[in-house]
């Protein structure tokens, strides 16, 4: 018999919460209190306002992170050229049974290709920076002096 009363004591509070949800669907029971839909909207608005106040005006990663990203890009291009040259040279040496003749030759070619790719990337980055500076320093259309 005590098990029956324990089960009832466990089930009855949950049944009252269910009937409360059915009778008032706009109020959500949370523990011993209820939260209305309007309260949730007010809380969300306060959270959004706090996030907007604490958000930085300009992400810090825009300037420094992009420079680090460009540096890693160049390093990876150089290492990739060396790795590909080494792989091709070693493969040819194994295939032909020669000493590291092809490996040295293709490592040098890979180094040259990596440096060339790095220089091309640097020129691309420099041209983008120059275009940004030119657009930033360009005079407005109203300041043209056509007659003089």
């Amino acid at each position: 018999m005590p098990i029956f009363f324990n089960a009832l004591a466990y089930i009855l509070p949950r049944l009252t919460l269910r009937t409360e949800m059915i009778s008032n669907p706009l109020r959500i029971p949370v523990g011993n209190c209820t939260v209305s839909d309007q309260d949730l909207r007010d809380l969300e608005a306060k959270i959004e306002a706090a996030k907007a106040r604490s958000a930085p005006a300009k992400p810090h990663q825009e300037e420094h992170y992009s420079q680090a990203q460009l540096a890693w890009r160049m390093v990876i291009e150089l290492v990739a050229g060396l790795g590909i040259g080494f792989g091709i040279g070693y493969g040819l040496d194994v295939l032909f049974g020669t000493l590291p003749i092809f490996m040295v030759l293709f490592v040098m070619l890979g180094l040259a290709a990596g440096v060339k790719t790095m220089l091309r990337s640097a020129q691309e980055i420099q041209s983008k920076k120059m275009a940004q500076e030119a657009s930033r320093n360009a005079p407005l259309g109203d300041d043209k002096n056509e007659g003089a």
Side-chain angles (χ1 to χ4, degrees):
M1 209 51 152
I3 295 174
F4 176 75
F5 289 118
N6 286 341
L8 269 176
Y10 180 75
I11 293 173
L12 281 178
R14 283 156 180 74
L15 289 176
T16 58
L17 290 177
R18 299 283 183 204
T19 57
E20 184 179 345
M21 285 175 61
I22 293 170
S23 65
N24 190 357
L26 294 179
R27 298 188 68 79
I28 302 167
V30 177
N32 293 334
C33 63
T34 56
V35 179
S36 70
D37 220 15
Q38 183 62 36
D39 292 340
L40 288 176
R41 277 190 243 120
D42 292 342
L43 181 61
E44 286 177 6
K46 287 179 184 178
I47 290 172
E48 290 300 320
K51 283 182 181 179
R53 280 193 308 266
S54 67
K58 178 183 174 187
H60 76 285
Q61 63 182 348
E62 226 175 79
E63 188 66 32
H64 299 294
Y65 183 70
S66 64
Q67 295 297 322
Q69 184 181 19
L70 296 174
W72 274 111
R73 175 182 168 189
M74 289 184 177
V75 168
I76 288 172
E77 287 171 349
L78 180 65
V79 171
L82 283 169
I84 291 171
F86 175 80
I88 292 172
Y90 184 75
L92 288 175
D93 278 334
V94 168
L95 184 67
F96 295 129
T98 59
L99 294 177
I101 296 169
F102 289 113
M103 186 174 65
V104 171
L105 177 68
F106 278 94
V107 165
M108 294 300 169
L109 289 174
L111 177 67
V115 169
K116 183 179 177 184
T117 307
M118 277 179 46
L119 290 175
R120 191 178 316 132
S121 295
Q123 287 175 348
E124 176 187 327
I125 293 164
Q126 184 179 12
S127 66
K128 284 182 182 179
K129 293 270 185 193
M130 295 296 276
Q132 287 176 352
E133 288 295 321
S135 67
R136 193 176 302 151
N137 295 335
L140 297 176
D142 300 335
D143 295 338
K144 289 182 181 177
N145 193 1
E146 294 176 10

